[in-house]
Every structure is written in C-alpha cells, then in structure tokens.
Amino acid sequence: MSPGLIDVHAHFLPDFYVQQATAAGHAHPDGMGGWPTWSVEAHLDLMDRGGIETAMLSMSSPGVHFGDDMAARLLARRVNEFAAGLARDHPGRFGNFASLPLPDVDGALEEIGFAFDTLAADGVALLTHTHGVYLGDERLEPVFAELDRRRAVVFLHPTSPVGWEHSALGRPRAMTEYFFDTARSVTDLLMAGVLTRHPNLRVIVPHCGGALPVLADRIDEFMRLFLPGQQPPAPDGVQQLRGLYYDTAGTAFPRQVPALLNLVAPDHVLFGSDYCWTPPPLADAHLAAIDAAESPVEGTTWRSLTTANAERLFPGRAR
C-alpha cells in the first residue's frame, strides 16, 4: 500500500510499566477489562499489514504519575528511554511522544529538556488532566512556555475525568467519558488563553476531537460572554479550534470525520490507529473504513492526505 501512513496515535506498553501501574491500583485502567498485550513484533506486524510506515509512540492513560513525584519522574524517564530505544533500533518505524511527570512542574521541565535534547523526541504527550490539574491550570504555565519556546508538538490524550465514579455510570470510561474530558480540557486551554499566549504550540487532539466539533459554536458563544474586552482580543473559539490538529483514532467513519470537517480544514487531519488499546481486528477494520471513504480533497486518498499533513508537521519524517 502506498503511501505509508504516519500513525500519530499509537501506544506502547512495556511489561515494567504495566507491572508498576497495576501495583498502583490500575488493574482495570479506565474501567477496561484489563491491559492489552503489546510487543514490538506484534506492533510491527500490524503496521506492515496495514501499510503504516511510522508509528509515533505515546503512553496512554493512566500515564506515569501515580501519586509520588519522584516515582513519576523515574517512570517517565524509563518509558521515554524505552521508546527512544525502539526508534533507534527500528529506524523510520517508530517516533516518540515523551511522557511528562505532571502535575510535578519541575520534574516535567527537566524531562522536557532531556527528551528533546538527549532523546530527540518528536513531541510530548499530555493527559487531559493529572490528579485534577487540567491543562488550563495556571500552575502549568512554565511547562507550556517551555514547549512553546521549543515549538513542540503536543499530543493530547484523554483519561478518566474527575468524578468518574458518578459520571461513568459503571461503564468503561473510554467509551464516552474520554470524549467529554477531551472537550473539557481543550475548552480549558481556550478559556485560560494558553493557546493565544503560546502560538508556537502545535497541538494534536485525539479521536476526531471527541465532542468538540458539535460543541465548537457553543464554546465560542460562551467565550464571548465570559471573556469580553480581553486585551489583546483573543481569536474566537472556533478559529482557535481550527488551528489545532485532529487524529482519526477510533470510529472515525461514517459519522465522526464528516462532523470534524465541518470544523477544520482537511489539512489538519492526521491518521491514528489507537493500537494497542484498539485490538488488531478493530484496527484492521478502521483502516479498511478509511480506505473505503472518499477523500475531501480531489486527487488524494485519506492515506495520501493524512500522510502529507503529518510530514508537514514532522518535517524529519518526510520521505
């Protein structure tokens, strides 16, 4: 298959991470039945079968911070070195979105420096919140300032929201709560002015934006009501949302991508498989749906379109 896809939403699960997360109380992460199996060989097999040239690896929920700052720093360093090793051992096949030990800001700043300057990370992965600290929280300002200085790619990933014990109604939080927490956290970024203060950030929102496409006009209206007379005037909410990138992980077709394209231009859509949290049969089915769908840009396929978009976002990945 050609061209080879660049998968911006791909996860890895080394055994040491699963053991540590399980010991911290995450035997059923986000209400799922358990941890999926993952290996380098199985991941490469899926990539080869699906025509995926490069997978940008990231750590999914519940992240690396289980309550202790020092332990989180050590675990972040270990998973980041592991992913960098995969990229080194398999040239061109794997990239790396580094994990940060948030909400430990000092630890996160230290890891940003190490990830970019020593490990040559392609970006960072941030959960929608860590222990209730959402992304618009003023405590995170030094982190976003540093990421802006580096013109970093920031890959967002949802996690169980605060209060999930009541809101999830006993169902897996990945089903709907992920989408709502994505909308909550991105809205927080807009309302707090993070994106206007740090215009060099290049943010990837997962799962076709979750609930954002249908909420965009409502968010914009409330921003006008609650942020009038802001100096300098902030771009409207819809304009800010249009400046973000969105991946197709999950059930992108037949309904999510059309909704997304009512918000953003096709040049801001990227491919995502969500493997290994999406099992191989479903990942194969999602790829088949993408291949069967008509591209919104004449003369392209969804493969060629999303790959060209990713190559502009990651110039080092261009062939």
Side-chain angles (χ1 to χ4, degrees):
M1 298 179 182
S2 180
L5 287 162
I6 297 177
D7 184 357
V8 303
H9 191 143
H11 301 305
F12 66 114
L13 281 176
D15 290 340
F16 68 82
Y17 172 81
V18 173
Q19 293 166 4
Q20 193 162 336
T22 301
H26 296 282
H28 300 282
D30 297 306
M32 301 296 285
W35 293 93
T37 58
W38 176 86
S39 70
V40 178
E41 295 74 21
H43 202 148
L44 287 170
D45 179 67
L46 178 123
M47 292 167 65
D48 291 341
R49 187 170 68 249
I52 300 171
E53 180 66 25
T54 304
M56 312 298 282
L57 298 174
S58 62
M59 189 59 60
S60 183
S61 176
V64 297
H65 200 299
F66 305 131
D68 179 88
D69 284 353
M70 185 52 65
R73 293 186 187 194
L74 293 173
L75 184 57
R77 179 63 54 89
R78 191 174 182 188
V79 298
N80 291 340
E81 289 181 333
F82 183 90
L86 292 178
R88 181 178 60 251
D89 294 342
H90 303 275
R93 303 311 306 275
F94 293 117
N96 176 23
F97 291 149
S99 293
L100 303 180
L102 292 174
D104 172 14
V105 169
D106 289 341
L109 291 171
E110 180 179 345
E111 195 60 26
I112 288 170
F114 182 80
F116 284 106
D117 298 336
T118 301
L119 300 182
D122 294 283
V124 300
L126 301 182
L127 294 179
T128 47
H129 77 91
T130 45
H131 301 288
V133 179
Y134 278 86
L135 297 181
D137 194 296
E138 62 183 9
R139 287 171 287 184
L140 302 185
E141 180 64 19
V143 173
F144 284 114
E146 178 61 13
L147 293 172
D148 180 79
R149 186 183 72 82
R150 292 177 178 269
R151 306 182 65 86
V153 174
V154 179
F155 171 73
L156 304 184
H157 197 279
T159 187
S160 294
V162 173
W164 65 263
E165 296 88 347
H166 303 289
S167 64
L169 305 177
R171 278 104 189 191
R173 279 89 78 186
M175 182 172 64
T176 57
E177 295 303 309
Y178 269 19
F179 280 29
F180 299 143
D181 214 53
T182 296
R184 181 178 296 111
S185 199
V186 173
T187 302
D188 196 31
L189 286 172
L190 268 62
M191 293 291 286
V194 173
L195 300 178
T196 54
R197 286 195 303 277
H198 305 298
N200 295 316
L201 297 174
R202 293 170 292 166
V203 178
I204 301 173
V205 184
H207 306 124
C208 296
L212 284 168
V214 296
L215 291 176
D217 293 312
R218 186 175 180 86
I219 293 166
D220 179 51
E221 186 172 87
F222 272 77
M223 287 180 69
R224 295 176 189 276
L225 288 172
F226 286 92
L227 300 175
Q230 181 172 317
Q231 296 296 327
D236 66 44
V238 170
Q239 181 180 341
Q240 291 189 65
L241 290 171
R242 284 176 176 157
L244 308 181
Y245 292 85
Y246 298 81
D247 74 47
T248 63
T251 51
F253 294 97
R255 279 168 280 276
Q256 275 194 272
V257 162
L260 176 63
L261 291 177
N262 279 323
L263 174 63
V264 301
D267 63 358
H268 274 57
V269 181
L270 305 165
F271 170 73
S273 73
D274 214 347
Y275 183 78
C276 59
W277 282 99
T278 294
L282 282 179
D284 293 342
H286 293 167
L287 269 168
I290 287 172
D291 286 334
E294 182 179 355
S295 170
V297 178
E298 186 176 356
T300 71
T301 64
W302 274 106
R303 284 180 178 266
S304 65
L305 174 64
T306 60
T307 299
N309 294 343
E311 288 176 341
R312 287 194 299 274
L313 192 59
F314 305 99
R317 298 288 169 186
R319 291 181 296 277

